[in-house]
Amino acid sequence: GTAVTWLPAGTAYFPGGQEAGPRLRARYGAAGVGSLLIPGTPVLFEGINDRGLMGGQLNYREFARYPERPAADRLPLAPPFLVGHVLSQCASVEEAARMLAEEVSLAAVPVLGAVPTLHWAFSDATGEMMVVEPDAGGLRIYRNTLGVMTNSPGYPWHRTNLLNYTGIQPGDREGPELDGAGLSPCFSGSGAQGLPGDWSSPSRFVRLAFLRQYAVKGRDEAQGTAYLFRLLQIAAFPLGMVRVPQTAAAAHDTGVVPYDYTLYSCVLCAESRRFYWTTYEDQSPRYVELDRLALCREPVEFPLEGGPEFRLLDR
């Protein structure tokens, strides 16, 4: 049931879960990957709103902790609905940070039979990225981060782990001298020796942190988007390399395979308010534009999946 989903301003939803707590209406329209399967409360896993605020969630396995009940003086919020609620009500990272710190209370509310373990990131046109993590000490809000987020452990651990890779550089290293004889380098890329290449979250964080620092930026949105999709492939899980135990599929799941792999990748632009995406089988970017979607007063879904497109060039 997952699709690229547009939720216009005025969309009604229950942030605390199906018919739990007050029923709210969105101040801003938002689009991203989500679902309309849950009656009364649409879901966005990540997305962008019409003010350029962007956000998304990732699995925070073994670390996520939520109170059993929300605080009595705050708005109850079920973890899967945090992204949609923030994008529906906030125009900036500053507003989102204040709302999460002062107005809402997460609670361990099951959705589709489970309480998902999540943490979140938000960014806006200022370039700031905020990471939000619920752990045993409460809801942690990290401002002005490095602009990279993966899965567990928490953001402070990942940031400290970068100290193990201080020798990474974009230029090649000089060859050493051994017993008076110099060894001339015969390949490029030696400056990145030691950069981890596996698919664990610590390794992906390290790779993307250095790519974010050193990668060449595009001259315009189209080129920048193409470059960023290429960089995201550095962190993508290839089908077949990360086997997991076969788990029971949800009612709407079909074709489940016993692997973690990257179903889709997305790029969001705060300036044009566009949501771009590719899928595992179709690397041709597609996008929706919020300024055009604003003409739609009801939720709209676009297929996430698409078959591969091959272009024949002929004389």
Side-chain angles (χ1 to χ4, degrees):
T2 300
V4 174
T5 305
W6 160 247
L7 303 176
T11 298
Y13 65 99
F14 292 97
Q18 188 175 355
E19 300 185 6
R23 185 171 184 254
L24 303 182
R25 290 193 177 272
R27 298 174 62 191
Y28 308 114
V33 175
S35 175
L36 300 177
L37 285 176
I38 301 175
T41 301
V43 181
L44 285 180
F45 309 124
E46 61 264 304
I48 179 172
N49 71 12
D50 55 25
R51 296 302 181 94
L53 178 63
M54 305 167 286
Q57 66 186 34
L58 287 174
N59 195 10
Y60 197 34
R61 192 173 71 192
E62 300 296 328
F63 286 85
R65 298 289 186 275
Y66 314 113
E68 289 299 317
R69 295 179 179 82
D73 58 342
R74 294 195 175 196
L75 179 74
L77 182 59
F81 305 139
L82 188 146
V83 171
H85 177 60
V86 170
L87 295 183
S88 294
Q89 303 297 331
C90 300
S92 65
V93 166
E94 186 67 37
E95 287 186 17
R98 184 169 58 252
M99 184 184 73
L100 292 173
E102 301 175 3
E103 300 176 12
V104 304
S105 178
L106 288 172
V109 178
V111 176
L112 297 177
V115 180
T117 53
L118 302 172
H119 60 168
W120 303 270
F122 293 92
S123 187
D124 61 20
T126 68
E128 182 190 354
M129 177 176 151
M130 170 180 73
V131 172
V132 180
E133 296 182 329
D135 58 31
L139 191 66
R140 314 282 190 178
I141 298 176
Y142 303 101
R143 301 288 304 272
N144 298 298
T145 66
L146 294 172
V148 178
M149 176 182 173
T150 57
N151 305 108
S152 306
Y155 172 75
W157 187 96
H158 283 296
R159 192 180 192 281
T160 303
N161 184 50
L162 291 175
L163 292 174
N164 291 313
Y165 303 94
T166 55
I168 301 297
Q169 62 184 42
D172 287 337
R173 301 185 184 281
E174 297 292 331
E177 283 198 9
L178 298 176
D179 199 21
L183 297 178
S184 298
C186 60
F187 54 83
S188 296
S190 60
Q193 285 182 335
L195 195 69
D198 61 79
W199 287 280
S200 68
S201 56
S203 296
R204 287 181 282 119
F205 188 100
V206 171
R207 290 202 297 277
L208 287 176
F210 283 102
L211 284 169
R212 190 179 189 278
Q213 176 68 25
Y214 294 131
V216 174
K217 295 177 174 59
R219 63 176 177 269
D220 53 26
E221 182 176 334
Q223 190 176 70
T225 298
Y227 283 6
L228 188 48
F229 273 122
R230 181 66 185 88
L231 297 185
L232 289 175
Q233 290 302 310
I234 305 300
F237 281 28
L239 179 59
M241 283 302 298
V242 186
R243 179 182 287 273
V244 296
Q246 182 71 58
T247 57
H252 296 276
D253 289 339
T254 59
V256 176
V257 296
Y259 299 99
D260 267 347
Y261 71 103
T262 301
L263 295 170
Y264 64 89
S265 301
C266 53
V267 172
L268 294 68
C269 180
E271 295 175 334
S272 67
R273 291 177 294 281
R274 288 177 174 176
F275 183 93
Y276 299 85
W277 78 96
T278 62
T279 64
Y280 192 87
E281 293 188 358
D282 185 0
Q283 294 296 305
S284 302
R286 287 161 283 172
Y287 71 92
V288 294
E289 191 172 272
L290 269 66
D291 290 352
R292 295 173 64 88
L293 290 175
L295 300 175
C296 303
R297 301 299 182 184
E298 298 294 331
V300 177
E301 290 185 309
F302 301 88
L304 177 68
E305 297 289 354
E309 297 180 7
F310 299 94
R311 290 187 295 172
L312 171 65
L313 303 183
D314 206 350
R315 294 169 57 182

